[in-house]
Structures are given as structure tokens and as C-alpha cells.
Amino acid sequence: MPGATPPNQQNLLDFTHEAVIALDEDERITFWNRGAERMYGWTAAEASGQTLPELLRADCLRDAADALRSQERAATRTREFVSSRKDGTTLWVAASLSVRHSDEGQPVGFVAVHRDVTDRKQAEAKLRASEARMRALVDASPLGIDIMDLAGHPVFYNPKCVELHGLDLADAHDRGWTEAIHPDDRARVVSSWYEAAEARQAWFQTYRFLHRDGRVVWVSGRAAPMFVDGVPVGYAGTLEDITPLKQAEADRERLLDAERELRVQAERATRQRDETLAVVAHDLRNFISTILLGVARLERPGLSEEDRARRVAVIKRSAEATEYLIRDLLDASRIESGTLAIERSRVDFAALFRGVVELMQPRAAELGIVLDYEVAEDSLEVSGDRSRLMQVLLNLLDNALKFTPPPGRVSLQARRSGGEVEIAVEDSGRGIDAEALPHVFDRYWQAKRASRAGAGLGLTIAKGIVEAHGGRIWVESAPGRGTVFRFTIPDPSASSS
């Protein structure tokens, strides 16, 4: 082969696993060692006189010699490229190209050294693919994934971490990550973290983040130490969003609390019902006993007309009281079942107040209480059931007279407010305790059960009648400052006008 390497050098080069190739000044092959034969499949005779770009089908080598000529004497050009073998298969090659000089220092050609790096390139490609898969998994993970150094400083966050606490890696640098922890949890979490890191132990805590947007995010945080050749290098951790779980737990607790409260209310209502039924039974027995006793005395011979009239009046009052008691029980049942009937007509409150005051005035005078009324307008009318509205006023007045000591005052007022009429029944009585206010409209409830003052249905019935009219009823009271019961009755005609 022209320009062949001396025999002793050629024998030495044949022992190397790398391909050693000599080129003349025209970049044609003049030497092709056995390493080149093994790597590419062509014999030295087959390769002699050809150029590397043509033989190896590697166009990237075409400008290599020209680029090398323009550099300094000792320069070497390196590159990695995909080459072809004689059988058509490909391989990755790491190549170096240097200028070959004569003894006089004149360039006489080039020396190329090629090394098969296919295995390394394939390993690097697999590693890149593995890293890409891992990056995709980490980025798509429903868990926050983070890496901390041994000092507890974050060095990596995946997007889920940022979503959970709102801090990117720059914001979380050093101990900035602790600022995202809820102030009520911060001391506990940070202390436990550094204790675990110092002992090189695994770490677990449940705590809250206070997100930058104001949300409170519950997380379950875990971390485990990472070791390289038995030496700790940091921590890898996960953050699981458990906010829905915590919300479900809170909802369950609220439901349990509501269930307990309903059970307490049911038990209280049952006790009140039983107590009321005892009162009702006692009152009915008294009324019936009075009626039977009056009838028995009427049957006695020789009874004077005056005594007869008195006995008849007693029987009549007892019968009326029995009727009122039964009516209240029936009304309460209708209200509870939603079948209370309302027969509407135009109701004038001035006339209604006059009728109610006339009925209650004798009882008020007997108790030493002043009973008056005031209507803000000459004509204050609504669409409602007159008899039912009178029943509400009588119940409220009865309640006011019952709990107002003499000398006292009970007043009725009515005024228009927007599209409704507001009625107030105000007394100067002893007032209602704060803890009793939420229960005044409860069925069977009474301010003083020991007074045996009736079935405790009057205010419940008043509330049912008002609500059946589409209105509202409420109470304002404080101990020693009297009580005001207010209710409203809508008046669509006034609102539309």
C-alpha cells in the first residue's frame, strides 16, 4: 500500500482495538489497520485509495481535513458521528483527526483514530429515555414530589408541589418553604422535620399549607433519606393532598353534631309533649268534673233560679275552655301536617285591634294592666284570614297578660313597612331569659312549666298562622326589660302599587 507504515509500527497498530487510518494529502486511505477491518468489515486492500466519507457513507467527514488545515500544527479535530459498515449496519464512532507531518515538518497527510462507542451511545439514549419517562411521570404525578439536601433546603419541586403551596423553587430556597406552612402548624412541622433530618430518619406529618391565593390545603407529607454508597446525600419526599378527606371528616362531624342536636331536640320535644299531655289530661279532667258537678247540682230539686243561672254559667265556661283546648290541639296538628286552611279577605287592622281589645279588656282590668292599641294609618288593610289573625293576636295578648305583673302595660301597634304590615305586641313584663328565646315558638314549650298555664301551644299556633300567610314572627326581649312579639303579613296589592 503506498505510504505504508513501517512494519514494526504496523504490527504494533494491529494489536489495538481502535481503527487507525492513514490518509494522504488528497484524503485517500493509505493505511487501514486490523482494528479498522474488525470495526468496519473492509479489508485494507478494499479500503485503500478510497475517502472516508465515501467508504463510510459519512458526509459529516467531508470538511474535516479542510477545517484541520486551517488550524495550528498540533491541532486535532474530534467528533462523534454515525458511520456505516460493509454489511450496511450502522454504528456510532468517536473519531479524532490529526495532521501527519514529514521529518522536515511538512504536512503529508492525516491520521484518523476511530473508536466504536455504539454501546455508550445506546446506554445514553436509554438513560435519556428513562429520564424523560421519569420526568413525565413526576410532572404528571398526583403527588407532590420534592428533593431536599441534608441542610433541609429544597433542590427540586414537581408542578404538583407548586400547586399545593404556591411557591416555586426560587421562592422556597433556603428555608423559604416553611413560609407556606400554616402558622398554626409551622413550629410543629419544622421542628419534626429537622429532628428527623439530624437523625437521618424517615419523616411523616399531616399539616396545612396556607396557599398564596388564600386557600387552606391539607397535606400528608412523607420523606425518606437518600444514600449513595451508604452515605446520606439528601431526602426525597411526597406531598399528598388530603383536603377532600379532611373536608369529608369535617362534614361527617357536622352531620354527627346535627344528629346529636336533633336527638336532643327530639328527646326534649318528647318530654315536653308528655308533660303537656299530662297538663291537658289534668285540665280536661277538671273541666269535665266541673261540668258533671254542675249538672248534678242542676238536677237537685228546689234549686233557685239564681243558683241555676250561676251553675249554667260555670258549665258554659268549662265547656268553652274544653273547646279552646281541643281547638288548639287540632290547630297544632294541622300546622304540623301543613293542612291549616287560610280563607283570605280584606282585613282592617284598626277594626281588628278594637275587637281584640274589647275581648281582652275585662281580663286586663282585673289584672291591673293597661291595654291599648295604635294604628299608624287610618286605613291599614291586608289580605288575610280575619279569624286566624284574631287568633294570633289573642294568643299573643294572652301570653303578654300572663307574664306582666301589675301595674303594667300591654300595647298593640301596627304600621306599614314596604309591601307588608308589621304588628307588634309589647308588654312591660319581666322579659325572657336569653337561653329561652330560641324555644319560645317550640311546640309544647312554656316559660314556666310549673304554672300549669296551658298546653304551651299558643305561640306555636301563632307562628304557624303567620307563616301560612307568608309572614314572619320573632321576639325581642331581655330580663327586666319587657318583651315585644313582632310579626308581618305581606300585602301584595300594596307592594305592586
Side-chain angles (χ1 to χ4, degrees):
M1 183 181 291
T5 304
N8 59 336
Q9 294 184 16
Q10 179 173 348
N11 291 337
L12 181 63
L13 292 176
D14 282 341
F15 282 103
T16 181
H17 293 288
E18 296 176 332
V20 179
I21 306 164
L23 307 172
D24 61 17
E25 288 186 297
D26 294 329
E27 302 179 35
R28 294 192 176 275
I29 298 171
T30 60
F31 175 75
W32 184 267
N33 76 338
R34 291 182 180 177
E37 290 180 346
R38 288 190 297 269
M39 184 180 297
Y40 290 115
W42 287 283
T43 65
E46 291 172 327
S48 179
Q50 299 196 56
T51 65
L52 288 177
E54 293 172 350
L55 181 66
L56 304 181
R57 294 186 286 277
D59 290 340
C60 63
L61 299 179
R62 293 188 183 281
D63 61 346
D66 291 338
L68 190 62
R69 289 190 184 97
S70 66
Q71 296 182 10
E72 296 180 0
R73 174 185 176 86
T76 297
R77 187 174 181 83
T78 63
R79 70 170 55 191
E80 292 182 349
F81 63 95
V82 177
S83 181
S84 296
R85 295 186 179 94
K86 182 179 179 179
D87 62 8
T89 59
T90 59
L91 71 160
W92 270 96
V93 176
S96 66
L97 182 68
S98 304
V99 178
R100 185 161 57 93
H101 296 86
S102 66
D103 293 339
E104 292 76 20
Q106 297 300 316
V108 294
F110 305 90
V111 175
V113 178
H114 291 186
R115 181 163 46 91
D116 186 350
V117 293
T118 302
D119 290 343
R120 173 171 65 80
K121 283 292 188 177
Q122 289 175 344
E124 289 175 351
K126 289 180 180 178
L127 180 60
R128 286 194 299 272
S130 176
E131 289 175 345
R133 286 193 298 269
M134 185 59 66
R135 170 66 69 176
L137 287 172
V138 168
D139 287 349
S141 172
L143 296 177
I145 299 174
D146 57 81
I147 306 255
M148 311 283 278
D149 62 21
L150 289 175
H153 304 153
V155 296
F156 171 78
Y157 278 161
N158 75 335
K160 186 64 176 183
C161 284
V162 180
E163 178 186 329
L164 291 175
H165 53 54
L167 297 180
D168 58 27
L169 196 58
D171 295 328
H173 181 66
D174 197 8
R175 292 186 62 173
W177 64 276
T178 64
E179 298 302 314
I181 301 173
H182 195 286
D184 294 343
D185 299 341
R186 188 176 300 145
R188 169 178 60 84
V189 173
V190 173
S191 173
S192 69
W193 162 251
Y194 284 104
E195 286 177 6
E198 184 176 353
R200 304 294 188 257
Q201 295 176 342
W203 175 82
F204 169 73
Q205 285 287 334
T206 297
Y207 56 100
R208 293 165 291 176
F209 283 127
L210 187 57
H211 198 281
R212 279 183 166 179
D213 62 12
R215 290 181 295 122
V216 173
V217 181
W218 275 96
V219 296
S220 173
R222 297 176 183 272
M226 299 184 298
F227 296 89
V228 175
D229 296 330
V231 179
V233 295
Y235 270 79
T238 61
L239 295 171
E240 181 183 3
D241 185 357
I242 58 171
T243 305
L245 176 62
K246 287 292 184 179
Q247 290 174 342
E249 290 176 354
D251 291 342
R252 183 167 60 250
E253 285 300 318
R254 282 193 292 270
L255 288 173
L256 289 174
D257 289 342
E259 181 183 354
R260 284 191 288 268
E261 178 60 25
L262 288 173
R263 185 166 58 249
V264 169
Q265 291 177 1
E267 291 171 352
R268 182 171 60 242
T270 299
R271 288 194 304 271
Q272 292 172 347
R273 180 201 62 196
D274 292 344
E275 293 171 4
T276 298
L277 289 176
V279 172
V280 169
H282 178 273
D283 289 346
L284 284 175
R285 186 166 54 249
N286 284 343
F287 296 150
I288 293 172
S289 297
T290 301
I291 292 171
L292 292 174
L293 181 61
V295 171
R297 292 186 175 178
L298 285 176
E299 292 175 342
R300 291 180 181 176
L303 191 66
S304 67
E305 287 300 322
E306 183 179 350
D307 287 341
R308 183 182 299 274
R310 187 168 63 254
R311 299 302 176 192
V312 169
V314 170
I315 292 172
K316 182 179 180 181
R317 285 196 300 271
S318 297
E320 289 173 348
T322 301
E323 181 189 5
Y324 293 150
L325 183 57
I326 293 173
R327 184 194 62 186
D328 283 352
L329 291 171
L330 291 174
D331 283 346
S333 176
R334 293 188 187 101
I335 289 170
E336 185 175 4
S337 64
T339 59
L340 183 70
I342 298 296
E343 299 179 1
R344 293 183 179 273
S345 62
R346 297 304 295 176
V347 179
D348 181 356
F349 271 98
L352 188 62
F353 278 7
R354 281 194 299 271
V356 170
V357 169
E358 287 177 1
L359 287 173
M360 301 298 289
Q361 189 66 59
R363 181 181 169 195
E366 182 180 346
L367 295 172
I369 297 171
V370 175
L371 176 59
D372 56 25
Y373 69 92
E374 177 184 357
V375 178
E377 301 177 16
D378 292 338
S379 178
L380 199 58
E381 294 185 351
V382 297
S383 173
D385 189 321
R386 187 180 188 283
S387 63
R388 289 297 186 183
L389 292 176
M390 176 174 283
Q391 186 179 354
V392 171
L393 292 174
L394 288 173
N395 284 347
L396 294 178
L397 285 176
D398 177 75
N399 190 75
L401 293 174
K402 187 188 304 180
F403 295 107
T404 302
R409 177 180 292 274
V410 175
S411 300
L412 289 172
Q413 297 106 32
R415 67 183 183 90
R416 190 177 300 281
S417 177
E420 57 187 13
V421 173
E422 181 181 304
I423 298 92
V425 178
E426 183 176 1
D427 66 59
S428 60
R430 54 177 174 265
I432 303 172
D433 294 334
E435 62 270 17
L437 279 175
H439 305 292
V440 295
F441 296 107
D442 291 354
R443 193 168 47 143
Y444 306 126
W445 186 87
Q446 290 184 353
K448 289 182 65 178
R449 301 296 300 178
S451 66
R452 306 189 71 87
L457 296 172
L459 295 179
T460 301
I461 293 170
K463 181 174 183 291
I465 293 173
V466 169
E467 291 178 349
H469 279 80
R472 298 171 295 118
I473 186 168
W474 67 98
V475 60
E476 302 165 2
S477 184
R481 300 178 62 180
T483 300
V484 183
F485 280 91
R486 301 183 188 275
F487 67 92
T488 60
I489 301 297
D491 186 13
S493 62
S495 177
S496 61
S497 64

